[in-house]
Amino acid sequence: MNVQEVRKMFPILDQQVNGKPLVYLDSAATSQKPKQVIDKIDDYYRRYNSNVHRGVHTLGTYATDGYEGAREKVRAFIKAKSTEEIIFTRGTTTAINLVASSYGRDNLGPEDEIVITPMEHHSNIIPWQQVARTTGATLKYIPLQKDGTIDLKDVEETVTDKTKIVSVMHVSNVLGSINPVKEIAKVAHKNGAVMVVDGAQSVPHMSVDVQDLDCDFYAFSSHKMCGPTGVGVLYGKKEHLEKMEPVEFGGEMIDFVGLYESTWKELPWKFEGGTPIIAGAIGLGEAIDFLNEIGMDNILEHEHKLAQYAISRLAEIDGVEVYGPKERAGVVTFNCDDVHPHDVATVLDAEGVAVRAGHHCAQPLMKWLDVTATARASFYLYNTEEDVDAFVNALIKTKEYFGDVFG
Ligand code: PLP
């Protein structure tokens, strides 16, 4: 399938914004949804909307099959051993919070350390700050190299036998760097720690095998991978999940309830209190079918080419600084001399080009880069070289607009 055929599957892309054809370069924030995902959710609400795991009636059976079928699709997509290891959450943030609140609180004490990096998204910083505060554990950071990459020597030096949890993003939402999480997991395990991976920017863009990475927990969001908002996944090794306490209590997650004591369902349901995100999970399952049809290796290669093309075109404009290493996923973060990134994004928007501006939920990384904010263009399977050209041409207009401040 070529990119023009792929584009036809995304109805939202076929529109004008501010009188110009839409060029959507903000997929790292949230991706667009193909028609088949929209139709699948519509079909659920029109034909078999019903609660799951409860009734014996026919619609309830369809809904349960759809929901549990989606769990199996997720399992196969990230190559987990068993559906017991796949927990539906609201997204990456909730998934990491679950690990921090359950595993973190029960396994950390004042002598222990949690190790993360300064490039993490706030969702992979604040839960650990909170657990460190409540348990007395120490939060430590693996230093970054000048280009924003992680050197394994620094991992070896930072992770010690006091470390109980190492949590690192697989792909940076700002720098686009692809972190060596498999090697970091080896260092974590050698020291007796568990490895948590924030996969929000990797699962949508590349083939991920959680068993090969040998991570203990892996978190990601549906809305960044062509699926609906409001649903995400926590993968966890069964040996850990079995020992962990739920963090949400109520309906759906119980086995027996007495007046003073209750017991929990088996995995994975003990972590899914309340009516689950049924339509969301079914939509995510359809998004996985769609991504599999295109092929994750094709998606990665396509985005890699677009990012390299964008970087080479940006080099033509004086005053544009691009952050991050040369080898990267489909994210290009930049600044234009003294022009505030919000102003850059506003002028680009007037040209129909949607990019993100701000701190990208990575304030410690902004501090490390010594900037208050940046602009970011992020690419996905539906973007084209023409999108990159439109973006660069709009940036040239921005330069003309801001005159002396820029370049
Ligand atoms: N981690 C990374 C690397 C992200 O890019 C994001 C979202 O931008 C998140 C975590 C949080 O994802 P969500 O808001 O879907 O929970």
Side-chain angles (χ1 to χ4, degrees):
M1 203 180 304
N2 68 37
V3 63
Q4 290 309 332
E5 286 167 329
V6 170
R7 285 179 71 80
K8 284 197 193 120
M9 296 173 160
F10 289 81
I12 202 169
L13 296 177
D14 184 22
Q15 64 170 304
Q16 305 246 318
V17 167
N18 296 321
K20 305 278 166 53
L22 169 64
V23 175
Y24 187 77
L25 301 182
D26 196 19
S27 297
T30 198
S31 74
Q32 297 304 348
K33 324 298 174 201
K35 195 172 171 302
Q36 74 187 68
V37 169
I38 300 167
D39 289 348
K40 187 81 181 180
I41 296 167
D42 181 80
D43 182 52
Y44 162 73
Y45 281 121
R46 283 181 193 278
R47 284 200 316 114
Y48 58 103
N49 172 51
S50 198
N51 215 324
V52 292
H53 306 140
R54 290 184 187 180
V56 285
H57 63 74
T58 304
L59 293 197
T61 308
Y62 284 158
T64 303
D65 288 351
Y67 182 69
E68 293 304 331
R71 198 189 306 274
E72 166 55 24
K73 288 181 187 183
V74 172
R75 185 210 61 75
F77 194 58
I78 61 167
K79 302 177 183 66
K81 237 184 233 164
S82 149
T83 49
E84 292 171 296
E85 301 180 315
I86 305 296
I87 298 158
F88 284 121
T89 66
R90 270 203 308 113
T92 307
T93 305
T94 327
I96 296 174
N97 272 279
L98 197 166
V99 182
S101 304
S102 178
Y103 188 91
R105 256 182 228 160
D106 289 346
N107 288 283
L108 291 170
E111 300 299 313
D112 300 325
E113 297 170 349
I114 307 161
V115 170
I116 62 174
T117 82
M119 78 170 84
E120 301 308 315
H121 187 281
H122 295 163
S123 312
N124 198 27
I125 298 177
I126 308 166
W128 305 118
Q129 290 176 346
Q130 293 299 105
V131 177
R133 252 191 18 198
T134 52
T135 61
T138 304
L139 185 57
K140 284 170 66 180
Y141 286 86
I142 301 165
L144 301 182
Q145 296 296 295
K146 270 206 180 108
D147 62 355
T149 54
I150 295 173
D151 187 330
L152 285 173
K153 269 197 233 123
D154 292 322
V155 179
E156 296 268 7
E157 272 172 30
T158 314
V159 177
T160 70
D161 59 5
K162 289 185 174 172
T163 308
K164 291 283 183 299
I165 297 173
V166 178
S167 191
V168 176
M169 63 196 338
H170 200 162
V171 172
S172 165
N173 60 317
V174 175
L175 305 170
S177 39
I178 303 173
N179 292 324
V181 288
K182 182 173 174 175
E183 287 69 29
I184 299 174
K186 280 187 192 149
V187 180
H189 293 151
K190 200 171 70 186
N191 286 278
V194 294
M195 179 75 192
V196 184
V197 180
D198 171 352
Q201 299 292 346
S202 43
V203 174
H205 306 284
M206 60 178 69
S207 171
V208 167
D209 180 334
V210 289
Q211 291 191 70
D212 178 57
L213 294 175
D214 197 22
C215 51
D216 298 276
F217 299 98
Y218 200 103
F220 57 99
S221 302
S222 147
H223 70 95
K224 294 183 196 287
M225 52 188 287
C226 297
T229 52
V231 62
V233 172
L234 174 67
Y235 157 80
K237 280 185 185 165
K238 187 177 170 186
E239 65 197 78
H240 301 309
L241 294 176
E242 268 180 336
K243 290 187 212 132
M244 283 163 57
E245 278 291 306
V247 292
E248 286 181 332
F249 302 89
E252 288 284 337
M253 50 77 67
I254 49 83
D255 180 24
F256 165 81
V257 178
L259 281 180
Y260 299 102
E261 276 186 20
S262 303
T263 56
W264 321 139
K265 259 190 190 158
E266 63 269 38
L267 288 175
W269 303 291
K270 76 169 178 181
F271 291 107
E272 295 180 0
T275 297
I277 315 140
I278 307 165
I282 291 171
L284 169 60
E286 191 66 18
I288 287 175
D289 287 347
F290 171 77
L291 292 173
N292 279 334
E293 226 176 282
I294 311 282
M296 295 313 291
D297 291 347
N298 296 333
I299 293 172
L300 184 64
E301 192 192 332
H302 178 72
E303 290 171 16
H304 179 77
K305 273 194 199 145
L306 287 180
Q308 295 304 322
Y309 179 58
I311 291 169
S312 71
R313 293 260 9 234
L314 287 174
E316 295 166 13
I317 313 173
D318 286 342
V320 172
E321 183 175 2
V322 173
Y323 303 101
K326 186 165 178 344
E327 276 314 306
R328 63 172 73 208
V331 173
V332 178
T333 292
F334 62 98
N335 263 324
C336 305
D337 271 346
D338 292 336
V339 187
H340 194 281
H342 279 143
D343 294 332
V344 172
T346 304
V347 179
L348 291 182
D349 182 54
E351 297 296 318
V353 180
V355 298
R356 186 84 161 177
H359 53 60
H360 314 289
C361 298
Q363 288 186 30
L365 181 60
M366 294 296 115
K367 191 154 190 285
W368 183 85
L369 289 169
D370 200 20
V371 295
T372 49
T374 67
R376 177 187 73 190
S378 52
F379 305 103
Y380 208 9
L381 68 172
Y382 37 67
N383 291 119
T384 60
E385 284 202 350
E386 289 74 44
D387 286 346
V388 176
D389 291 335
F391 158 58
V392 172
N393 291 340
L395 208 56
I396 291 169
K397 279 202 182 160
T398 312
K399 183 174 165 136
E400 285 160 10
Y401 186 82
F402 284 100
D404 290 347
V405 212
F406 182 7

